[in-house]
Amino acid sequence: MKFNSTKAPEPVGAYPHARKVGDLLFLSGVGPRERGTKIIPGVELNEDGTIKSYDIAKQCHSVFANIKAILEDTGSSWDNIVDVTVFLTNMKDDFSIYNKLYAEYFKENQPCRTTLEINCLPTPIGIELKVIATI
């Protein structure tokens, strides 16, 4: 069964926000964009669309809010997250900030986690999460 949240940003491709298989919910990669806009919290773009500056903390808060919205729209919750894959585009500069915020958000529920540095993401963002939760 496919799910699309009414609160999270629209997917940038042909995929749903989440799919339910048995008691598991698999979320597609979720970034920090705001629903209904091209606004990316914490990102300032040049005229050509490249990143002028960014605030990874603002992006983290937005990504976590988008994940929470998708989980709640699908009948799951933050506490049901069991596995997180995090994609960062700048591990050296952003990991310590992201890791601190992650520890705050996942203080009670500590899912398995993998963090990877990648060259870029499909939109001008610095972080994206892939999540598996129970439902």
Side-chain angles (χ1 to χ4, degrees):
M1 176 181 292
K2 294 188 289 187
F3 293 97
N4 280 302
S5 172
T6 59
K7 298 173 193 142
E10 299 83 352
V12 295
Y15 57 86
H17 282 128
R19 286 192 70 108
K20 180 183 179 214
V21 178
D23 290 337
L24 293 176
L25 187 67
F26 297 85
L27 273 63
S28 296
V30 178
R33 275 185 308 109
E34 293 180 356
R35 182 169 183 85
T37 72
K38 294 193 183 285
I39 294 172
I40 303 167
V43 176
E44 185 179 354
L45 299 176
N46 292 310
E47 288 182 22
D48 65 358
T50 58
I51 298 172
K52 181 176 184 178
S53 66
Y54 72 97
D55 180 330
I56 195 65
K58 287 182 181 175
Q59 288 190 57
C60 288
H61 290 297
S62 186
V63 168
F64 296 152
N66 288 339
I67 298 278
K68 188 173 187 267
I70 294 168
L71 291 170
E72 290 174 357
D73 275 357
T74 58
S76 188
S77 72
W78 190 263
D79 291 337
N80 288 358
I81 296 174
V82 295
D83 189 68
V84 178
T85 302
V86 182
F87 301 95
L88 293 174
T89 60
N90 187 343
M91 187 78 73
K92 180 179 169 275
D93 293 338
D94 298 342
F95 181 82
S96 62
I97 297 165
Y98 136 76
N99 198 45
K100 179 180 180 285
L101 292 171
Y102 184 97
E104 292 172 12
Y105 277 84
F106 288 99
K107 187 175 186 177
E108 301 300 319
N109 174 31
Q110 294 184 337
C112 295
R113 181 182 88 177
T114 302
T115 304
L116 305 163
E117 181 179 47
I118 60 171
N119 184 19
C120 65
L121 288 158
T123 58
I125 59 177
I127 184 170
E128 182 174 282
L129 267 65
K130 176 103 175 84
V131 171
I132 301 171
T134 57
I135 190 168

